[in-house]
Amino acid sequence: MSPVQDTTPAVPATRAYAEVAVGDVLPDLAIPVTRTLIVATALASRDYQDVHHDPGLARERGSKDVFMNILTSNGLVERYVTGWAGPAAVVKAIRIRLGAPNHPGDTMVLTGTVTAKSDADHHVDVAVKGTNGIGAHVTGTVTVRLPGEATP
């Protein structure tokens, strides 16, 4: 009889405050922007504006197609930083600004760099940018509090 393999995904470790330095670069995260992602996340966030689900009405309003809402962009930015920081990190602030719209068929690539640390409260600021084929979709800063020691 062969042993049973555990296929439970491992929970990533949380970065410790001391492991992070100003200037650290986060790994890129490419997110395919699909029509389903745009529509489903707009509806999930109760954003029923037609420009997020009706291509014809979006074009009537001057857009080439439906486009991602700010709540989805905010959530993807948070996911990006917490994916790097780990599950015990606490998001303290997200400050973002939208630019070029995310349309179906494009890919948004999120990049980030640690820009500041606060020894007093273990806060770390990460400058984030999400670009697509048109330009910068989202730019901003995410502040997270990291534990003093790494957590498994």
Side-chain angles (χ1 to χ4, degrees):
M1 182 184 237
S2 62
V4 176
Q5 287 186 325
D6 182 6
T7 59
T8 306
V11 175
T14 298
R15 293 178 189 278
Y17 178 78
E19 298 172 332
V20 175
V22 171
D24 284 355
V25 176
L26 282 63
D28 294 359
L29 176 63
I31 299 172
V33 181
T34 65
R35 186 170 306 278
T36 300
L37 175 67
I38 292 170
V39 174
T41 55
L43 294 175
S45 62
R46 296 182 172 189
D47 185 344
Y48 304 118
Q49 292 293 317
D50 49 32
V51 294
H52 302 307
H53 65 82
D54 187 318
L57 289 174
R59 282 191 283 281
E60 280 181 26
R61 286 166 176 64
S63 181
K64 76 173 195 173
D65 202 339
V66 296
F67 54 90
M68 185 175 286
N69 72 354
I70 191 168
L71 297 170
T72 302
S73 301
N74 192 80
L76 292 172
V77 165
E78 180 176 352
R79 168 190 165 209
Y80 173 59
V81 174
T82 58
W84 165 81
V90 177
V91 175
K92 300 306 286 182
I94 299 176
R95 296 171 295 281
I96 61 170
R97 176 173 284 226
L98 293 185
N102 268 339
H103 292 292
D106 210 338
T107 299
M108 178 175 64
V109 178
L110 290 164
T111 58
T113 304
V114 175
T115 57
K117 289 179 66 176
S118 171
D119 293 340
D121 53 16
H122 290 186
H123 285 186
V124 174
D125 287 345
V126 179
V128 176
K129 187 174 192 178
T131 57
N132 59 34
I134 302 170
H137 167 69
V138 62
T139 55
T141 303
V142 178
T143 302
V144 292
R145 184 179 66 226
L146 297 177
E149 296 178 10
T151 61

